[in-house]
Amino acid sequence: MSQTASTKVVLQVYRSLLRASRPFSYPMPHAALLTSLLHRKGNLDYEESIRCLSAEVSDCSDEEIISHSQTTSDQGEMKLLSLHARDLTRSYRELKKNEISNAHVSKHSDPPHRILFSCLLHELMGGGESLTRFPCQLTKEDLTKLKSIIQREFRSGFSNGLHSCVSDQFPYRVRLQTSFMALRELNKKLCYALSRGLDMTSNGTSKKQFPFSINGISASPPSLYMRPGTFLLAHPLIHGFFSRTAIIIIDHTDESSPNASSAQGGTYGLIINKPATIRKRVHKTAADAAQATGFTTEIATVSDIFRGVIEPKFHAAFNDCTIRTGGPVHASVQMLYKCEPSVERSLQLGGRALPVVTPPLYPSAVPPSAANGSLESDEAIYFQGDFVRVARAVLEGNLSKHNVSFLVGATVWSAGQLQTEIERGWWMPCVAPPQMTLMGSLEGPSLWSSLMAGIGEEEAKLAHLFRDNISDENIDACDEF
């Protein structure tokens, strides 16, 4: 390709990248929301890869790094690259196939343009362990970084290294291939947001969407959130068992704490919005009930779990109450209930009150009323307690069965594990009234969405983008090669 043609392609790609990055950049109204869709797997050790490639690429020509079709003319190649730079509708899976087929398999297992792309993506994500982020965690500086990186890399990497940057270590064609990857990923995330109904003309005001006092907690220092009573909201990009879950921390012990058993420490929590299910046999009619025709999955109730375990007279107290899944770790049935502290004391129910974690804007000293979990209400949430006494209180009318919840299983982290997951962006720690653990009218993803909305408008819109589980290649990790 001639020098003139190369310059035209570079300018076309540069302008396309700046246009594509504009919705992701400050002061656009949904910049934080769209930027939170940019995430990475982080599997590639790009620093080591760059060191391995430094000597390799220094002795290779552009053609040895990225091989293009020998039958394509310079003019045709320039036209094709320009079309790719503008096309927002072409199948990205097709582009990825072309990219793989055209990539030169060098001595290193990862193509150079992928290594460079991973390096720049890591920088965009703020470095460190971060794999994804919530909108409220992004600062003005974070929202101007994408444009800054694009301008820096093009002004330096495509200008004979006038300024020192990462791209200087790579040939022209590698830098150009990386630019197309960046353009593709920006367009994919934007296409996903638009396909899910994001209104790009509305203004984000970060106003609250939920009446309760809900606030996100900074991930640093860990002491702000590593304590009982803190809620954890799963990032919408988390799939599998913890998809769209809300967790409350029940117990936390530091490794250095004298209370830590065997100097291990760790964190114990419960998912509060995931109904437990049970498989039941299906029969055609009562006449042939002995002949099961199959199984059906239903939400488990107290009668399903406690049948044959507790006295029949207590079944009436919670017979049709649903059971929730507290986590994947096996644990016996656990109980949460709500009542006034005076009732708890008089009936001697034996539960442990969940504390109210105050927002960071409060003084560091916890208000005395927060210790019993009743900072914002006359009622507190209690964990465990005496089941028989609680059941008797329900039967005698001293406690409503709707103020009692049962859970099976738990979510457990070893020492340092939860902190690492929060630093990677998998969880948003937040403060909310403990009464949220018993929001019976908000089950499953609805409770998660409500808590997200309580943090801010952009979190509410982010939750809405992931309102159901769909498979969409546009939302894959940016480095999902």
Side-chain angles (χ1 to χ4, degrees):
M1 186 186 296
S2 67
Q3 182 65 36
T4 302
S6 299
T7 301
K8 288 181 179 180
V9 170
V10 170
L11 287 175
Q12 179 66 55
V13 176
Y14 179 49
R15 291 165 182 164
S16 297
L17 271 173
L18 288 179
R19 283 195 299 268
S21 67
R22 189 166 182 267
F24 297 79
S25 304
Y26 178 86
M28 299 304 289
H30 300 303
L33 170 61
L34 292 173
T35 300
S36 68
L37 299 180
L38 301 174
H39 62 113
R40 66 190 186 98
K41 293 177 63 177
N43 294 336
L44 178 62
D45 185 355
Y46 63 90
E47 292 181 346
E48 177 63 26
S49 300
I50 287 179
R51 283 194 293 269
C52 293
L53 276 171
S54 294
E56 182 178 338
V57 300
S58 61
D59 298 327
C60 295
S61 64
D62 289 344
E63 288 71 19
E64 291 175 312
I65 301 298
I66 302 292
S67 61
H68 290 269
S69 173
Q70 298 300 315
T71 60
T72 303
S73 65
D74 289 346
Q75 182 179 3
E77 182 182 18
M78 182 189 72
K79 181 179 180 181
L80 179 63
L81 293 173
S82 298
L83 287 173
H84 284 191
R86 295 193 301 268
D87 191 359
L88 304 187
T89 60
R90 189 181 179 196
S91 169
Y92 291 111
R93 233 182 261 281
E94 180 185 350
L95 285 177
K96 185 175 289 188
K97 288 179 180 178
N98 291 343
E99 166 196 313
I100 294 175
S101 64
N102 289 335
H104 171 73
V105 181
S106 65
K107 297 176 184 178
H108 198 275
S109 59
D110 296 294
H113 63 281
R114 291 183 180 178
I115 296 174
L116 176 57
F117 179 82
S118 298
C119 177
L120 296 174
L121 179 62
H122 181 261
E123 179 185 352
L124 176 65
M125 297 290 293
E129 296 288 330
S130 180
L131 300 179
T132 187
R133 296 167 292 183
F134 287 81
C136 67
Q137 296 173 329
L138 296 167
T139 64
K140 180 179 178 180
E141 181 182 356
D142 293 326
L143 300 179
T144 58
K145 186 176 293 184
L146 175 60
K147 182 179 179 181
S148 298
I149 291 176
I150 293 172
Q151 291 176 332
R152 181 197 70 196
E153 294 301 310
F154 271 83
R155 290 172 181 174
S156 175
F158 290 94
S159 304
N160 299 320
L162 297 178
H163 305 88
S164 176
C165 70
V166 178
S167 296
D168 288 341
Q169 303 179 55
F170 294 86
Y172 166 83
R173 297 225 179 242
V174 172
R175 300 197 296 270
L176 194 59
Q177 191 80 351
T178 303
S179 301
F180 282 117
M181 289 185 67
L183 181 60
R184 182 188 69 199
E185 291 305 318
L186 292 176
N187 288 333
K188 284 173 63 176
K189 303 305 179 280
L190 185 57
C191 285
Y192 175 82
L194 293 174
S195 69
R196 301 295 287 167
L198 179 64
D199 183 4
M200 298 298 294
T201 62
S202 64
N203 293 321
T205 58
S206 298
K207 60 185 178 183
K208 295 288 182 179
Q209 298 286 312
F210 205 64
F212 292 115
S213 176
I214 302 173
N215 294 275
I217 304 178
S218 171
S220 180
S223 59
L224 289 175
Y225 59 84
M226 287 291 196
R227 43 181 168 169
T230 297
F231 286 81
L232 302 172
L233 302 181
H235 195 286
L237 290 167
I238 290 181
H239 302 292
F241 187 87
F242 290 104
S243 174
R244 296 181 292 173
T245 55
I247 294 177
I248 186 168
I249 296 179
I250 299 296
D251 193 19
H252 172 74
T253 308
D254 290 325
E255 212 170 353
S256 58
S257 172
N259 297 324
S261 59
S262 304
Q264 292 298 314
T267 307
Y268 187 95
L270 296 174
I271 299 174
I272 60 174
N273 68 325
K274 192 178 182 71
T277 58
I278 189 171
R279 295 184 71 204
K280 292 184 177 181
R281 289 184 181 275
V282 179
H283 306 286
K284 290 182 178 179
T285 63
D288 58 355
Q291 299 296 323
T293 60
F295 293 90
T296 182
T297 300
E298 299 179 2
I299 296 178
T301 63
V302 171
S303 60
D304 296 322
I305 302 298
F306 287 122
R307 183 178 290 111
V309 178
I310 62 175
E311 296 181 44
K313 66 178 181 180
F314 292 125
H315 274 231
F318 310 107
N319 192 41
D320 59 347
C321 293
T322 59
I323 300 286
R324 304 185 192 187
T325 297
V329 178
H330 176 73
S332 58
V333 178
Q334 299 152 102
M335 180 172 60
L336 292 169
Y337 61 93
K338 177 175 68 174
C339 69
E340 296 181 5
S342 58
V343 174
E344 161 70 25
R345 290 191 298 269
S346 63
L347 299 179
Q348 298 182 348
L349 301 180
R352 172 163 59 93
L354 295 181
V356 174
V357 177
T358 54
L361 53 88
Y362 281 7
S364 57
V366 179
S369 57
N372 62 12
S374 57
L375 179 64
E376 299 188 17
S377 170
D378 292 335
E379 296 177 313
I381 300 297
Y382 293 86
F383 174 63
Q384 293 295 61
D386 190 310
F387 171 80
V388 173
R389 291 182 179 180
V390 172
R392 186 178 291 117
V394 171
L395 293 173
E396 295 175 353
N398 296 318
L399 192 65
S400 171
K401 71 175 184 179
H402 300 296
N403 289 338
V404 184
S405 179
F406 296 93
L407 306 97
V408 292
T411 303
V412 182
W413 293 270
S414 59
Q417 182 181 359
L418 176 57
Q419 181 180 343
T420 298
E421 292 183 7
I422 291 177
E423 289 173 352
R424 289 178 176 176
W426 294 351
W427 303 99
M428 161 60 75
C430 68
V431 298
Q435 286 77 9
M436 294 294 293
T437 60
L438 295 178
M439 293 293 289
S441 61
L442 293 174
E443 290 289 352
S446 296
L447 178 58
W448 171 81
S449 298
S450 298
L451 286 166
M452 289 280 285
I455 295 176
E457 185 178 5
E458 293 304 288
E459 271 69 23
K461 292 180 179 179
L462 179 63
H464 184 69
L465 294 183
F466 294 86
R467 56 190 176 274
D468 45 35
N469 288 319
I470 63 170
S471 178
D472 192 326
E473 63 172 327
N474 288 339
I475 203 58
D476 289 345
C478 296
D479 56 353
E480 183 77 50
F481 303 133

